[in-house]
Amino acid sequence: GSSDTVHLSGFGYLADLVDLYQTYREALFARNVRYFLSNKQEKGPAKYIRETLRRICAPAKTNALGNPAEFAFYHNGITLHAAKAEMKGDLLELRSPNVINGCQTIKASYLFRHVEHSTGKGIDEEAWKSVVVPVRVIVTPDDNLLRQVTVGLNRQNQIRPSAFRANEPEQINLQNRFAKAGVYYERQDHAFKNIRS
């Protein structure tokens, strides 16, 4: 990209991103091409985001407090565009931030914290404030580059629910047993046709 383009990446606190949403509301998602989320959000990725947060931050519902760092392992993260980004001590100050990927993570987390737990009861505040998420920030005046990045980040292929079972122990065990008999067991969708001969 141009010399005016900067890419920053690291980890940020999910609570800070939710606070950012509280400040900017839907304007924070103005450049996001997939912003179609309802306030229910009990299906798809939003459901799993909230389940992870319940496990980490609402021990009364799950009988165990999870590790706040585990959120970053299970969820893709956030990509923001900003007109300017400047480090001030341990904080990254953003001017005119906009989420180009990850609005579902922020909105589902907002609903978890401020709708599901609006009174603050049943939530471990220290755990909530410790949840981390991968964050990328792109600072660029190049609108064409920003459009290309936005398209690139939103090209996910739809995966059938059965595909998520490919790495279950039973599937791996079957593959190993069939391999011993000289039979190829396709546990991953389309794996056989993609084998290099």
Side-chain angles (χ1 to χ4, degrees):
S2 74
S3 59
D4 295 336
T5 298
V6 176
H7 174 243
L8 306 164
S9 62
F11 290 92
Y13 291 109
L14 186 61
D16 290 344
L17 292 161
V18 168
D19 289 347
L20 196 64
Y21 173 69
Q22 283 190 281
T23 300
Y24 287 90
R25 299 306 249 183
E26 272 56 36
L28 184 64
F29 305 138
R31 288 185 179 248
N32 194 294
V33 297
R34 293 170 15 125
Y35 184 56
F36 52 86
L37 305 172
S38 71
N39 283 346
K40 295 265 183 200
Q41 290 199 338
E42 289 302 328
K43 294 182 178 177
K47 173 185 174 185
Y48 299 109
I49 289 165
R50 289 172 81 170
E51 284 178 1
T52 303
L53 289 171
R54 286 181 193 116
R55 190 170 57 251
I56 294 169
C57 303
K61 290 190 175 189
T62 60
N63 297 320
L65 186 63
N67 182 339
E70 76 180 79
F71 189 89
F73 290 109
Y74 302 136
H75 304 289
N76 292 333
I78 312 296
T79 302
L80 298 117
H81 168 259
K84 184 178 179 184
E86 184 179 347
M87 287 301 298
K88 293 196 172 180
D90 290 342
L91 299 176
L92 180 63
E93 186 176 283
L94 303 175
R95 181 176 297 158
S96 301
N98 208 288
V99 175
I100 57 175
N101 189 263
C103 71
Q104 190 163 335
T105 299
I106 294 173
K107 185 76 180 269
S109 301
Y110 167 81
L111 293 172
F112 166 79
R113 178 60 189 92
H114 295 286
V115 175
E116 186 176 327
H117 293 282
S118 59
T119 63
K121 291 181 180 175
I123 190 167
D124 183 309
E125 283 292 335
E126 187 177 328
W128 165 251
K129 290 179 180 176
S130 300
V131 174
V132 292
V133 62
V135 177
R136 295 190 302 171
V137 177
I138 298 166
V139 180
T140 184
D142 186 342
D143 281 338
N144 186 47
L145 173 64
L146 190 57
R147 275 190 296 276
Q148 290 174 7
V149 169
T150 301
V151 168
L153 290 172
N154 288 283
R155 285 187 175 154
Q156 297 95 336
N157 291 333
Q158 187 172 5
I159 297 174
R160 293 184 306 155
S162 61
F164 291 111
R165 302 189 76 155
N167 290 325
E168 289 182 354
E170 295 85 5
Q171 297 297 319
I172 294 169
N173 185 32
L174 282 171
Q175 183 181 34
N176 292 336
R177 287 173 58 196
F178 277 113
K180 288 177 185 172
V183 176
Y184 182 79
Y185 176 72
E186 185 179 62
R187 65 178 175 84
Q188 297 164 294
D189 281 350
H190 308 293
F192 184 74
K193 72 179 182 181
N194 288 305
I195 293 174
R196 297 178 73 179
S197 37

